[in-house]
């Protein structure tokens, strides 16, 4: 599993109006809770975190992630392709998946179900909660990930030949957080401890 984490100072910019100076702390909390939940899934053999942020890298490593720091620095999809190549080198006979790092309500059992559904399909993706973006993309051993994240990535992944996963009752795998309203929905699902603590510092603000 590949997890991309932007430098914290640049992450989750759409949360700036809501979170203010707490935005980097929230971004880090999302990534840590996403990573911890992914590592708790029996379907995830290892987690490769791609980040140039030293704080995020150290904390993700402490959770058990393999941290790849030499990302290309040319955007999200380049970082994902780089991380996927690293993951494939570590386990060439295993499938590779990438997961958005802003899934603070992620539940290991739901992720396990999604990955099980993806395995027979080869290259596959899961749409986000609004149905425009993508939170997870997989590819089988020997194939390339070919990520096309950003904006209306659901359309691009489908046009690129990936199969859309239609797995019911997996809201935690689809609820990425870009806005205050998204965070409110994630909190209603039940977030991990890092996000819960970071969100508590925002008490009194309205998402």
């Amino acid at each position: 599993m590949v997890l991309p984490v932007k430098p914290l100072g640049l992450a989750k910019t759409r949360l700036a109006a809501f979170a203010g100076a707490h935005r980097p702390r929230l971004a880090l909390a999302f990534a840590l809770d996403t990573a911890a939940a992914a590592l708790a899934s029996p379907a995830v053999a290892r987690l490769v975190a791609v980040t140039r942020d030293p704080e995020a890298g150290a904390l993700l490593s402490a959770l058990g992630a393999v941290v790849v720091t030499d990302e290309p620095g040319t955007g999200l999809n380049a970082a994902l392709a780089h991380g996927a190549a690293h993951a494939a080198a570590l386990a060439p006979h295993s499938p590779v998946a990438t997961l958005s790092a802003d899934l603070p309500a992620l539940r290991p059992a739901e992720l396990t179900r999604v990955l099980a559904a993806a395995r027979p399909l080869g290259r596959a993706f899961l749409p986000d909660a609004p149905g425009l973006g993508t939170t997870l993309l997989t590819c089988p051993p020997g194939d390339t990930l070919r990520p096309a994240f950003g904006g209306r990535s659901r359309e691009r992944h489908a046009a690129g030949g990936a199969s859309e996963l239609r797995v019911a009752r997996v809201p935690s795998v689809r609820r990425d957080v870009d806005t205050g309203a998204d965070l409110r929905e994630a909190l209603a699902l039940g977030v991990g401890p890092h996000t819960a603590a970071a969100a508590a510092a925002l008490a009194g603000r309205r998402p």
Side-chain angles (χ1 to χ4, degrees):
M1 178 71 70
V2 179
L3 192 76
V5 181
K6 281 185 178 181
L8 299 177
L10 303 175
K12 299 286 104 187
T13 55
R14 290 172 59 190
L15 275 173
F18 166 63
H22 294 278
R23 174 180 56 82
R25 182 183 175 189
L26 274 176
L28 176 60
F30 296 166
L32 293 176
D33 285 333
T34 302
L39 285 164
S41 166
V44 176
R46 67 190 54 79
L47 184 71
V48 175
V50 185
T51 185
R52 290 181 290 130
D53 190 282
E55 181 183 6
L59 292 171
L60 288 163
S61 179
L63 286 177
V66 176
V67 177
V68 178
T69 59
D70 57 339
E71 63 171 280
T74 53
L76 173 61
N77 290 309
L80 287 172
H82 181 64
H86 190 87
L90 290 173
H93 302 297
S94 297
V96 174
T98 186
L99 188 67
S100 297
D102 56 353
L103 301 171
L106 184 64
R107 296 170 184 159
E110 292 183 9
L111 177 60
T112 300
R113 289 177 52 217
V114 171
L115 292 173
R119 186 175 287 271
L121 297 178
R123 197 163 163 270
F125 70 95
L126 185 73
D128 63 8
L132 298 176
T134 306
T135 59
L136 178 141
L137 176 67
T138 70
C139 71
D143 201 350
T144 53
L145 192 64
R146 286 167 281 155
F149 284 82
R152 303 178 74 90
S153 62
R154 179 184 189 176
E155 293 179 357
R156 291 194 299 276
H157 284 133
S163 300
E164 181 171 328
L165 290 162
R166 303 181 186 276
V167 186
R169 298 185 299 279
V170 289
S172 76
V173 196
R174 300 185 63 194
R175 179 65 281 164
D176 53 353
V177 176
D178 289 313
T179 66
D182 295 341
L183 179 57
R184 181 175 57 197
E185 292 184 14
L187 290 169
L189 287 172
V191 296
H194 297 93
T195 303
L202 295 172
R205 294 176 182 258
R206 292 182 58 85

